[in-house]
Every structure is written in structure tokens, then in C-alpha cells.
Amino acid sequence: MLPQTERYLALVHHGRNQWWRYVAGVLIIVLCGEGLAALPYLWVARDGDPGGMAVFIALNSGSLITLGGLAITVLLLHRRSLLSLVTPHPRFDWRRAGQGFAVWLALSAASSVIESVLFPGSYRLTFNPDTFFVFAAVALCLTPLQAATEELLFRGYAMQGLGLLMTRPAVIAIVSSVIFMLPHLANPEVARHGMLVPPQY
């Protein structure tokens, strides 16, 4: 039995993996993720500067288009299931997902506490019940969709594809993380905090 990591990376061999399929797949994903995914934002911004909620919904709705491009690529080009981007098991393991969520929540909470101690002015309470609950509901629906799309794309499709070129799982993880980081360098937190942010990606 292969170790868990190798079993996961080996899923790439279940599909069709000619080089031209990856070229076409990347083009489809880029077209959907960088081109078509901008359409919801362009639509809400057609009459001027839209409100913050409208922008948030439009930008995160674009993740559906990106996910569609990824689904077309994996299902039709590579003839694999989307589940194969997540796990070598026949079902999604919610327990392991919960463990990952707990670890990430603990790390995020710890870093926030440290930041609030080192930079006390960076946090302030701005609770407004008129907007908080609506925004929280929208965020809880759309943010997981956006995050899942990125994980499927970078930690799934890209990582497994790199497994066709490389053999060491640690190197594959590092390279896929760098690929994940590159498009995020345009994020506003990078412009504000500089090189403190990219290592987190």
C-alpha cells in the first residue's frame, strides 16, 4: 500500500494525461478564471461604483465560473472525477476536513492574537447589526465556494499535474504553493504589508 500522499498524487494516472490536455486545460481554466469570471463584476459596475456588498458577491460569484472551467477540464479533458482532486478514497472524509479546519482556525486565531498584541491599533470593534448578519450570511455561502475552487485548482489539479514531472512530494508541495502564491501577489494585503504576506500563501 502506498503512503497516503503518494496514493493521492498517483490519482493523476487514472485519467488521460497527454501534454496537450494540460495545455488545453490551463487555457480553459485561465479563460474562465481570468476572463469570464470578471463578467459578474463588470455587470454590477456598468453604471458606476457599486456598493461593497455587490462587489463582494460579484467577485466571489466569479468563482463559480472558474469552478466550471476546472470541471470541464477534469471531467471532459482528463476523464476523471472531481473527487479525485480531493481524495484517493471513494468518499469525502469530513472528519479529516474538520481536523484541517480546526488546525487552520487555531493558527489564524493565534496569529490574530499576536498581531493584536504587537499592533494594538490594527483591530477595532465596528459591529453594525444592520449590515453584519446579511454580510455574514453571504460570506458564509460564497467564501467557502471561492476557497474550495482555489484549493481544487492549486492544491488538487496543479499539484497532481506536477506529480507527472516530479517525484518528491515535498518539492511538488513547494512548487504548487509558489504557483498558488503568484496570482495572490496582486491582493491588497500584499501591497499594504509587503513581503510579510506572501510566505503565508
Side-chain angles (χ1 to χ4, degrees), residues 137-177:
V138 172
L140 288 172
C141 290
L142 293 181
T143 302
L145 172 67
Q146 181 264 339
T149 300
E150 289 190 357
E151 292 301 313
L152 288 171
L153 175 57
F154 293 103
R155 315 294 188 189
Y157 184 69
M159 184 178 285
Q160 289 179 345
L162 288 168
L164 294 171
L165 303 173
M166 307 170 185
T167 57
R168 295 178 180 270
V171 175
I172 294 171
I174 291 169
V175 173
S176 68
S177 295

